[in-house]
Amino acid sequence: MHRPPTPTRPGTSTREPRSGLAARLGGWSTRHRKTAVFGWLLFVVLAATLGGMAGLTEPTDSEQSVRDSARATAILEDAGIEEPPTESVMVSSTGKGGWRATADEVTRAVKDTGRVKNVRDPLPSRDGKAGLIGFEMRGDPESEDEKPINEVIDAVGKVRDAHHGDGIEIHQYGEASAEKWLGKMLGEDFAKAEWTAVPLALGILLVAFGALVAALLPVALAITAFIAANGILALVSNGLHMEETTNSVMLLMGLAVGVDYCLFYLRRERDERAAGRDADTALRIAAATSGRAVLVSGVTVMVAMAGMFLSGLLLFKGFAVATILVVFIAMLGSVTILPALLSWLGDRVDKGKVRLFRKHSLGGRKRDRAAGRRKPAGRISGALLRPVLAAPGLFAVLAAAAMLVLAAPALGMKTEQLALDKQMPKGAELRVNAEKISETFPGGPEPARVVLKADDVRSPEARAALADFKETVRKDTGHFGRGVETAVHADENVAVIDVPMAGNGTDNTSLAALDVLRHTVVPDTLAPAAAGGQVYVTGEVAGSKDFNDQLKDGIVPVFVFITVVTFLLMLVCFRSAPIALASIVLNLLSVGAAYGVMTAVFQHGWGASLFQAEAVGAIESWMPLFVLVVLFGLSMDYHVFVVSRIREAKDRGISTREAIRDGIRATASAVTGAALIMVAVFSVFATLSMQDMKQMGVGLAVAVLLDATVVRMVLLPAVMMLLGERNWYLPRWLRWLPRMEHGEAVVPVAASHSPEGATPLDAWGAGPYGQPPQLGDRPPEHVR
């Protein structure tokens, strides 16, 4: 339907501009507020209800594993062999043999609970000062009932208390006790994250906006986006099984991205109101500018996350689905439900003013009413930016050097799939128990597991092979520990052999033992008895090695995909090869600095106390790839937002230098506020108990902080200043690319409402949806 021209008035433009997708969505939602608001609420409730009914479908052990570890576990699953949780209790004394009587008491105590089976006789240590008792838990291995393991732990504890002060030490560790601790700790940690991250984000927004209603909007949108995405994730998990950790990643990403998108949108709307625009015009400007930036940023984040599908690991596929869902929903809400709410609230968005924060708030509407003008914004950022623009070469070198210094420790990064005892906080009872047992009985708590599938496991050849294997391992004391255990499942023709290995499970000694086991002992002894070579090694060490190897193979295609796609998206968005290339280089500097800090803190222990962390000698194996993908996606929030404002100013006809200055100053407070929220949310995860959560929190918090300050406030303007007009270079053979409008909304206002310092160009330009002048357009005569 043809739209009638907008009536003209003094100081306004009569040109009706084209409107982009974000502007059209914003326009529709403001015209249909009830439909948008109630439709959103219905969508959230429906998604949460259906997801709750379906429940999250978790992956099997074989789906979580890769390579030989996955093949070994699949043999057990296909045969229906359920491995019961195992427990180990070590009794030690100051003298040789002094532990035996107490070990007998422990054996009787655990048997009397009726919760255990296959209790093995104590295995003496090499020095004769300790004995290791092994047994299995009864019942369903998948049961979440903690009563059986609690009774066993209590029984062992009573014996320990009875011998307190006798020079006897008793340490218990195993799958059941570790899972009990893990379940309790995860529940407490995630509750802490949820109840801490949300108030932190709200507090920062309250300082930023100085009004309770304005601060609540982004938090409400982020939370509802997370709830809806969580429900849809449960439905998706029926096809692609998900681990529980994806929920924490979704919460983290949902809060960070959802709040950021709203912050950018709200900031622009408040800026335009402060400039004297009416409520409707301010919303149109925000939709056409910040709304467009939100769409571009959201698409970039989602595409970057899709790169994780190339890793070949189910864990990363789950992360990809979770983040894509929550980012898409948050992005959609930011350009639909948010403008509808802002249109409905009007000036009531400033309700609940907090006077303490008003003078520090961003985009406030306080104006010098006597002059009808507002005070210029960005004074602090302008002062900081002045020397950068005056000496861009010097500051570019200094900033890049600082980032490279921070990244230097990453050259020696070591990754591994951290064992559960390393995931525990220092001093935790279970961790102490695991370390004590491993020191005395190498490989005792978590031995390698060899799975043999034969035509007939009871045949003389198979029995001879098993005996030969056990004898070979017994003789090789340099690589293997004592206490090889063999379980033969005759009906399924499967044999499972647990082999304790030398080392602590993660060091070079353990890896060397695994290599000998896989490539020498197993091929020489068991392979002839296997049908079709179906003999594989799994276990904690093997699983970690396979996971690391898969990551090394998968990180290259993921990296190539992310960099290429990000470059292309930036190229199309800004029609500039230098800016697209700079976005890749700057992101890599942020990622490198994050890697360096993580390595320094968690591998070497430098400054670990500052983060209430400790050195564990390695970085969790999935962390580097995850941080790479997340930072490449999230840093686009700032990059698109800042560069869009710079391009917007450039499109108005001012010089590149002035465009950089105006763009950075106009976005500084919003970028700072967004960064503080992200850093706060990520820092919450750095305070959790699990080591991988700490590493993720510290790595992402440091990277976002550096990206929003050193990179976006120093490196980006310095590099753009050095490039000058070459910033906008586009090869001739690429000029067919579509032109995306960045026009600030120099939406016309009455001359009496023009802000202080407004140039004639500021009073001429776009129409209601904030579009910029088009190529070939000429300003009115009074501008020329």
Side-chain angles (χ1 to χ4, degrees):
M1 182 176 69
H2 177 70
R3 182 176 176 177
T6 303
T8 61
R9 62 185 182 195
T12 64
S13 169
T14 59
R15 182 168 53 84
E16 182 72 19
R18 297 192 305 268
S19 58
L21 176 61
R24 290 196 296 271
L25 289 173
W28 178 88
S29 62
T30 55
R31 293 192 303 272
H32 304 86
R33 293 195 300 245
K34 288 185 178 180
T35 302
V37 172
F38 287 107
W40 176 263
L41 293 176
L42 179 62
F43 164 66
V44 173
V45 171
L46 186 62
T49 302
L50 293 177
M53 293 171 61
L56 188 72
T57 304
E58 297 187 46
T60 62
D61 290 340
S62 61
E63 289 176 327
Q64 292 174 304
S65 307
V66 292
R67 303 194 174 189
D68 278 6
S69 297
R71 298 182 186 104
T73 309
I75 290 175
L76 297 177
E77 290 176 352
D78 292 343
I81 299 173
E82 294 184 347
E83 295 292 311
T86 58
E87 286 289 306
S88 299
V89 179
M90 184 182 75
V91 183
S92 60
S93 59
T94 54
K96 289 185 177 182
W99 51 270
R100 292 188 179 276
T102 306
D104 290 340
E105 292 182 43
V106 171
T107 300
R108 289 194 298 270
V110 297
K111 284 183 176 179
D112 289 344
T113 64
R115 300 292 190 177
V116 304
K117 62 180 180 180
N118 298 333
V119 181
R120 296 183 289 274
D121 292 335
L123 175 69
S125 61
R126 295 189 185 279
D127 62 6
K129 295 182 180 181
L132 185 67
I133 306 166
F135 52 87
E136 298 172 350
M137 299 296 299
R138 292 184 182 275
D140 182 6
E142 302 298 325
S143 174
E144 297 182 2
D145 183 11
E146 295 181 357
K147 186 176 180 181
I149 186 60
N150 285 339
E151 292 181 5
V152 173
I153 291 174
D154 291 343
V156 174
K158 288 179 181 178
V159 178
R160 182 189 298 112
D161 294 340
H163 291 275
H164 181 70
D166 295 348
I168 299 291
E169 292 186 8
I170 301 176
H171 300 282
Q172 178 179 354
Y173 182 82
E175 296 174 48
S177 53
E179 286 297 326
K180 173 182 177 294
W181 177 90
L182 181 62
K184 178 182 177 182
M185 193 56 60
L186 284 177
E188 293 176 353
D189 277 358
F190 292 153
K192 177 182 178 181
E194 292 171 7
W195 289 104
T196 306
V198 173
L200 265 177
L202 181 59
I204 295 171
L205 287 167
L206 194 59
V207 175
F209 289 117
L212 182 60
V213 174
L216 283 171
L217 282 179
V219 174
L221 179 63
I223 291 176
T224 53
F226 166 72
I227 292 172
N230 199 41
I232 297 175
L233 184 71
L235 298 175
V236 174
S237 71
N238 288 304
L240 180 68
H241 298 168
M242 307 281 180
E243 295 188 34
E244 284 189 20
T245 50
T246 55
N247 287 327
S248 61
V249 172
M250 180 182 286
L251 171 65
L252 182 150
M253 294 294 295
L255 275 177
V257 176
V259 169
D260 278 4
Y261 290 166
C262 288
L263 182 63
F264 295 156
Y265 205 105
L266 271 168
R267 165 61 200 260
R268 189 55 183 263
E269 187 269 346
R270 289 167 68 87
D271 276 354
E272 298 307 325
R273 291 303 307 276
R277 321 287 185 192
D278 60 77
D280 181 61
T281 301
L283 273 177
R284 292 178 180 181
I285 295 172
T289 54
S290 291
R292 186 201 61 83
V294 165
L295 289 181
V296 172
S297 176
V299 170
T300 304
V301 173
M302 289 188 290
V303 172
M305 293 299 172
M308 287 194 280
F309 283 104
L310 301 178
S311 67
L313 293 164
L314 184 64
L315 176 68
F316 285 99
K317 293 177 182 178
F319 286 165
V321 172
T323 49
I324 288 172
L325 278 175
V326 77
V327 169
F328 175 76
I329 295 172
M331 177 186 71
L332 185 64
S334 297
V335 296
T336 55
I337 184 66
L338 183 60
L341 289 173
L342 289 174
S343 175
W344 172 62
L345 288 170
D347 288 338
R348 288 174 295 179
V349 74
D350 281 332
K351 288 288 186 180
K353 293 180 181 178
V354 182
R355 294 185 180 275
L356 178 65
F357 300 142
R358 288 297 290 174
K359 65 179 180 180
H360 302 294
S361 64
L362 56 88
R365 297 178 182 172
K366 187 175 181 179
R367 299 171 61 187
D368 182 354
R369 297 190 182 277
R373 298 165 180 171
R374 61 171 175 160
K375 296 178 180 179
R379 286 171 294 179
I380 297 177
S381 59
L384 296 174
L385 190 62
R386 194 172 297 116
V388 176
L389 298 182
L394 173 63
F395 280 91
V397 170
L398 291 177
M403 297 292 284
L404 291 174
V405 168
L406 288 174
L411 296 175
M413 179 189 287
K414 176 187 175 185
T415 61
E416 68 182 50
Q417 203 167 11
L418 297 176
L420 188 56
D421 58 296
K422 280 193 174 184
Q423 293 275 21
M424 298 177 183
K426 187 176 182 179
E429 182 181 358
L430 273 180
R431 177 171 173 177
V432 172
N433 291 348
E435 290 171 347
K436 291 287 186 181
I437 294 174
S438 294
E439 289 171 6
T440 309
F441 295 91
E446 291 292 342
R449 176 161 290 176
V450 181
V451 178
L452 168 67
K453 172 69 174 177
D455 284 335
D456 184 3
V457 77
R458 292 169 293 189
S459 68
E461 294 82 1
R463 289 200 299 268
L466 290 171
D468 186 20
F469 172 85
K470 191 171 183 177
E471 182 63 18
T472 302
V473 169
R474 187 187 66 81
K475 291 180 179 178
D476 191 350
T477 56
H479 291 111
F480 307 110
R482 305 177 66 191
V484 177
E485 297 288 339
T486 302
V488 177
H489 303 271
D491 293 340
E492 293 81 13
N493 286 320
V494 173
V496 181
I497 312 117
D498 288 339
V499 184
M501 295 193 296
N504 62 10
T506 58
D507 57 10
N508 290 332
T509 302
S510 296
L511 292 175
L514 176 65
D515 187 67
V516 170
L517 182 64
R518 276 183 162 174
H519 300 109
T520 302
V521 178
V522 168
D524 291 348
T525 59
L526 294 180
Q534 293 187 52
V535 54
Y536 304 106
V537 180
T538 184
E540 192 170 280
V541 180
S544 178
K545 176 71 165 52
D546 291 340
F547 194 91
N548 266 335
D549 289 346
Q550 181 64 40
L551 271 178
K552 289 176 183 177
D553 292 343
I555 196 169
V556 173
V558 173
F559 175 76
V560 170
F561 176 85
I562 291 173
T563 52
V564 170
V565 168
T566 302
F567 178 85
L568 292 176
L569 286 172
M570 293 301 99
L571 185 66
V572 172
C573 180
F574 297 109
R575 289 175 57 85
S576 165
I579 287 180
L581 182 61
S583 67
I584 301 298
V585 175
L586 295 180
N587 284 350
L588 288 178
L589 284 175
S590 297
V591 172
Y595 284 177
V597 171
M598 290 165 60
T599 303
V601 173
F602 296 101
Q603 186 170 316
H604 303 302
W606 303 342
S609 59
L610 298 175
F611 300 97
Q612 296 183 338
E614 61 174 307
V616 292
I619 304 301
E620 174 63 40
S621 54
W622 57 266
M623 200 60 61
L625 181 56
F626 178 77
V627 170
L628 168 72
V629 175
V630 170
L631 287 181
F632 250 85
L634 293 184
S635 61
M636 286 298 101
D637 281 356
Y638 309 136
H639 192 76
V640 171
F641 189 59
V642 174
V643 179
S644 289
R645 286 299 285 263
I646 295 174
R647 185 61 193 253
E648 181 180 333
K650 177 65 177 174
D651 285 347
R652 291 203 306 269
I654 65 177
S655 68
T656 295
R657 177 189 177 89
E658 291 302 308
I660 294 170
R661 181 181 63 83
D662 289 355
I664 297 292
R665 289 183 63 180
T667 56
S669 58
V671 168
T672 302
L676 284 175
I677 291 169
M678 280 196 181
V679 170
V681 171
F682 294 149
S683 297
V684 169
F685 283 80
T687 66
L688 303 185
S689 304
M690 298 291 287
Q691 183 69 210
D692 54 359
M693 291 294 104
K694 283 182 176 291
Q695 292 183 4
M696 179 177 69
V698 170
L700 291 178
V702 169
V704 168
L705 182 62
L706 292 172
D707 191 82
T709 53
V710 177
V711 173
R712 305 301 158 192
M713 299 296 292
V714 179
L715 263 175
L716 177 62
V719 169
M720 292 188 73
M721 279 295 297
L722 292 173
L723 288 172
E725 294 302 319
R726 288 169 293 184
N727 277 298
W728 320 114
Y729 169 73
L730 185 69
R732 287 183 179 275
W733 55 276
L734 286 176
R735 291 182 183 175
W736 56 268
L737 291 174
R739 181 179 298 275
M740 296 185 66
E741 302 297 348
H742 296 268
E744 168 178 327
V746 196
V747 174
V749 296
S752 62
H753 290 168
S754 297
E756 181 179 9
T759 65
L761 264 177
D762 288 324
W764 168 79
Y769 278 82
Q771 300 297 326
Q774 305 298 309
L775 289 178
D777 286 349
R778 294 176 62 82
E781 188 64 34
H782 73 274
V783 175
R784 286 180 271 161

